[in-house]
Amino acid sequence: MRNCARKITPNLAAICRHRAPNVRVEILEEIDSTNSLAATIPVPAGESPRNPVAIFANRQTAGRGRAGRKWASGGFGNIYASFVFFPTIRAGEIANWTLWQGASICEMLNKKYGVPAKIKWPNDLFLGGKKLAGMLTDVLADAGHVRKIVFGVGLNVFCEEENFPEEIRSVATSLAAHNNGEPLPDLDIVAADLLECIVAAAEAFFAGKYRERLAELWARYDLLRDKVVTAIYGNEKFSGVAIGVDSGGSLKIRLRDGNIRAFSAGDATLAKE
């Protein structure tokens, strides 16, 4: 219970000024959805600076997941954030964005906190068989170019599993639950680490310098690799063995008949053992 009282403080803005000085940081006590607020930020006009914006909240009351699903907030002690970028890339180049960010976050969490986080295609992070984080990307594009990316992340940090809402208690976890008794830094530091990671990954992505690294990280942190999964695409279900992702970020599954099929959208679940 004590850990759930930890919160993001105004000190985070000062930390981020040293870590990523070009990012504007906003810190809120409570909001319906950080992605919804981020969606209202206009694209800079003309030669205006196109600096990223980061919005952090201590609590969300109406967080969103993929396909309009609700993101259940576990109360204080977690990170609810949205990161806004204003790139100048073609719409066709955005396909791997969420996978690249997720793999980069896994790498950061493994290196900085020693926790074996994995990424589950297409947008969840898992730890110890339970959900650690969710990601949601919203894109504004026109004339074939991406004008704005809103990248939302909900990361469970301190909240103990018994303090999650009852409907997700059996499937959710936090960093603190898997840190081998080692104390985590203040939530401000974890948030700053997350921001620094996401901004660096974004810069590499926009520069087109991420593909080889993504292949390396995906091989290392892919939760589904070589496991039996069921892919749900529309009203159909396909079962087989996950064999990674292709260059466009689609999940590849070797079906029971031996054929390989790539899924660019939908959901994939692990077969129950």
Side-chain angles (χ1 to χ4, degrees):
M1 296 290 290
R2 181 178 64 257
N3 283 339
C4 286
R6 299 198 183 190
K7 297 166 67 176
I8 288 173
T9 74
N11 188 49
L12 173 61
I15 297 171
C16 291
R17 278 196 293 272
H18 293 283
R19 303 269 199 105
N22 65 321
V23 180
R24 190 179 91 220
V25 176
E26 298 183 13
I27 301 167
L28 305 170
E29 187 64 19
E30 181 177 293
I31 193 173
D32 55 352
S33 163
T34 57
N35 262 35
S36 294
L37 177 60
T40 67
I41 298 175
V43 176
E47 298 301 318
S48 299
R50 304 174 70 87
N51 292 336
V53 179
I55 302 170
F56 291 89
N58 276 307
R59 187 169 182 269
Q60 279 192 143
T61 59
R64 292 187 296 117
R66 284 180 65 244
R69 300 180 183 121
K70 178 182 177 182
W71 170 261
S73 299
F76 294 120
N78 300 327
I79 293 173
Y80 312 108
S82 292
F83 303 86
V84 188
F85 299 94
F86 307 100
T88 54
I89 60 174
R90 294 189 302 273
E93 297 174 343
I94 197 66
N96 286 315
W97 167 268
T98 305
L99 303 186
W100 167 240
Q101 286 288 357
S104 298
I105 294 170
C106 282
E107 175 81 338
M108 183 272 288
L109 293 176
N110 274 262
K111 285 192 169 182
K112 281 188 174 287
Y113 300 111
V115 292
K118 299 281 188 177
I119 181 168
K120 176 181 174 293
W121 183 92
N123 69 321
D124 290 329
L125 303 187
F126 272 64
L127 184 57
K130 294 185 177 183
K131 187 169 178 177
L132 174 70
M135 302 173 289
L136 177 65
T137 300
D138 293 324
V139 176
L140 173 65
D142 62 63
H145 286 80
V146 175
R147 305 301 182 189
K148 176 179 172 181
I149 299 173
V150 175
F151 179 59
V153 180
L155 174 64
N156 301 326
V157 181
F158 284 113
C159 200
E160 297 171 3
E161 294 179 8
E162 62 265 27
N163 298 117
F164 285 105
E166 186 175 355
E167 65 269 21
I168 65 169
R169 196 170 297 159
S170 64
V171 296
T173 192
S174 67
L175 286 180
H178 294 267
N179 206 39
N180 297 321
E182 294 293 325
L184 289 169
D186 291 341
L187 195 59
D188 287 340
I189 299 298
V190 182
D193 287 341
L194 181 66
L195 178 145
E196 191 173 25
C197 170
I198 289 171
V199 170
E203 290 173 351
F205 188 91
F206 300 146
K209 299 177 180 179
Y210 75 95
R211 294 188 184 279
E212 289 186 7
R213 182 64 169 158
L214 173 58
E216 176 189 340
L217 294 182
W218 195 264
R220 187 180 304 164
Y221 298 121
D222 180 6
L223 179 73
L224 302 181
R225 180 84 189 195
D226 296 328
K227 293 184 173 66
V228 177
V229 301
T230 297
I232 302 172
Y233 187 74
N235 294 322
E236 295 184 90
K237 292 184 179 181
F238 302 85
S239 294
V241 176
I243 56 173
V245 296
D246 64 18
S247 60
S250 296
L251 176 67
K252 297 188 297 181
I253 297 178
R254 181 179 288 110
L255 302 177
R256 290 173 176 171
D257 62 8
N259 290 320
I260 295 175
R261 179 160 178 171
F263 296 85
S264 60
D267 289 299
T269 58
L270 285 166
K272 294 186 182 298
E273 298 180 354

